[in-house]
Amino acid sequence: MDAIGSRTVLITGVSRGLGRALALELANRGHNIIGCSRAQDALNSLHSQLSSSNPNHNHLFLNADVRLNSSVEELARTVMEKTGVPDIIVNNAGTINKNNKIWEVPPEEFDSVLDTNVKGTANVLRHFVPLMIAAKKQGIIVNISSGWGRSGAALVAPYCASKWAIEGLSRSVAKELPEGMAIVALNPGVINTDMLASCFGTSAALYQAPEAWALKAATMILNLTSADNGASLTV
């Protein structure tokens, strides 16, 4: 257990990659996890793994599509019924386009990237921030950004656009939150995930694994305070 005490942490996109690694690391430190994803089999697997290793904790895993406002509305309702307001929210759910020049990216693929990465984050904020405010939570919100949300790169323009949007969204919402809360944009660095492999191919294996990243990220996230509101951070 961390010295700061047990927290309840909501993580979107928890079925694989950074989300899964972060959920496992935080749970192993004694924190309660609320995870959501569209992949029910992966949710079941993660729940089973955490139930066996953390039998005294009441983790909650729910099927939700952050792209849909109605799905996130239902997620918030279920979370309130079963666990109450989370202390920390990590907006991690994300996707990337296949490497292509912008004029060769199919419109439905462009929409999918923006709907997941930007609208998905906004949907979570829409339904959970008012709950945090009403509960007078010293709430922390972490929006997963990218180095490509602070620079440009060929062939991934939709993804870059979405992460630049996350940076701007985070800074703007920081000015709207009440005192005591914080929202930050967090660049995880370059990590060997399925998303990286879609861009880098086999060379993605040269970069650190999600599990190694989660060790550092968990410590950083747990130590965020209201003084960090509006910050653009890097693990």
Side-chain angles (χ1 to χ4, degrees):
M1 174 67 67
D2 283 307
I4 55 177
S6 179
R7 306 275 189 86
T8 298
V9 186
L10 167 64
I11 305 173
T12 67
V14 79
S15 63
R16 61 180 181 169
L18 302 186
R20 182 183 179 90
L22 185 60
L24 288 168
E25 178 61 29
L26 288 169
N28 287 338
R29 297 189 188 194
H31 302 283
N32 296 310
I33 306 301
I34 306 166
C36 71
S37 167
R38 291 178 291 155
Q40 188 62 52
D41 288 347
L43 287 173
N44 294 343
S45 172
L46 182 56
H47 187 263
S48 176
Q49 183 175 350
L50 288 182
S51 295
S52 60
S53 59
N54 302 101
N56 297 322
H57 285 269
N58 188 25
H59 304 299
L60 177 65
F61 294 95
L62 300 165
N63 192 301
D65 186 344
V66 297
R67 299 173 301 177
L68 303 176
N69 181 67
S70 59
S71 184
V72 178
E73 184 176 26
E74 180 60 29
L75 172 69
R77 184 180 300 115
T78 304
V79 167
M80 285 299 291
E81 290 174 356
K82 294 185 178 294
T83 68
V85 184
D87 300 295
I88 300 172
I89 294 174
V90 182
N91 280 309
N92 166 76
T95 189
I96 196 167
N97 60 287
K98 294 177 183 176
N99 284 9
N100 253 326
K101 296 181 177 67
I102 187 63
W103 53 89
E104 295 172 347
V105 175
E108 60 273 14
E109 188 175 5
F110 185 93
D111 289 348
S112 176
V113 173
L114 274 291
D115 285 352
T116 303
N117 299 3
V118 183
K119 287 174 62 177
T121 298
N123 286 336
V124 172
L125 296 177
R126 178 179 300 114
H127 292 289
F128 281 92
V129 170
L131 300 177
M132 285 179 149
I133 293 173
K136 296 183 171 19
K137 284 276 186 181
Q138 304 294 304
I140 301 294
I141 302 163
V142 178
N143 294 331
I144 298 298
S145 182
S146 170
W148 285 341
R150 302 169 191 175
S151 64
L155 307 182
V156 287
Y159 181 78
C160 289
S162 75
K163 293 304 184 179
W164 277 83
I166 288 299
E167 293 282 336
L169 180 70
S170 301
R171 294 186 191 187
S172 296
V173 174
K175 299 179 183 298
E176 300 171 351
L177 293 178
E179 187 176 352
M181 291 182 65
I183 186 169
V184 304
L186 182 63
N187 167 22
V190 186
I191 317 298
N192 180 17
T193 62
D194 291 344
M195 282 177 55
L196 189 72
S198 77
C199 305
F200 286 18
T202 56
S203 64
L206 300 173
Y207 296 90
Q208 69 173 322
E211 294 75 17
W213 169 84
L215 288 169
K216 297 176 288 184
T219 297
M220 175 179 282
I221 289 169
L222 291 169
N223 283 285
L224 292 171
T225 70
S226 59
D228 296 300
N229 190 32
S232 291
L233 306 173
T234 300
V235 176

